[in-house]
Amino acid sequence: MFSDDVIEDMNRLAHFLAFDQTSGKGPEGEPSLMILLGNAILPTAEAAFQALAQGRISRLLIAGGIGHSTELLYQAVQTQMRYRHIPTSGRSEAEVLNDIGVQ
């Protein structure tokens, strides 16, 4: 069972992560920068790259090192026929996601 302090901290973190920060619009009325944080949910990365390709954003910053969930990204890439050729071992999440975007 979690203490009240831990639950309060988890709720504070969830509120922060759910905060919609997309209202900062660029000159054309769309967000000018999107930040893609390293993760293993490939549809998220694909949507970000699609937004860039379609001109809905003008810049995409990819962030992600090697951490506790990097192996999950490696597994997700290796299970997708479309991405299996992308090298993963020892590479940062940002490097792997960049290769997905270049493809």
Side-chain angles (χ1 to χ4, degrees):
M1 192 71 167
F2 294 111
S3 71
D4 289 343
D5 288 340
V6 171
I7 291 171
E8 183 179 335
D9 288 344
M10 290 182 343
N11 285 331
R12 185 178 295 118
L13 179 59
H15 179 73
F16 172 78
L17 293 173
F19 182 69
D20 183 0
Q21 299 179 38
T22 61
S23 61
K25 304 290 184 189
E28 285 77 43
E30 295 293 333
S32 59
L33 171 68
M34 180 181 288
I35 301 172
L36 174 61
L37 301 176
N39 68 83
I41 305 169
L42 298 182
T44 300
E46 292 166 341
F49 295 124
Q50 185 176 36
L52 183 64
Q54 293 173 347
R56 292 184 283 134
I57 56 171
S58 59
R59 296 175 294 164
L60 177 64
L61 178 118
I62 307 169
I66 297 176
H68 66 279
S69 62
T70 305
E71 190 62 37
L72 296 173
L73 174 60
Y74 294 172
Q75 292 170 10
V77 168
Q78 295 306 311
T79 60
Q80 295 293 316
M81 182 66 77
R82 178 176 181 182
Y83 303 129
R84 277 188 192 161
H85 68 281
I86 294 175
T88 56
S89 182
R91 298 180 74 215
S92 72
E93 294 169 358
E95 291 171 315
V96 174
L97 291 171
N98 179 70
D99 285 353
I100 289 171
V102 168
Q103 179 175 315

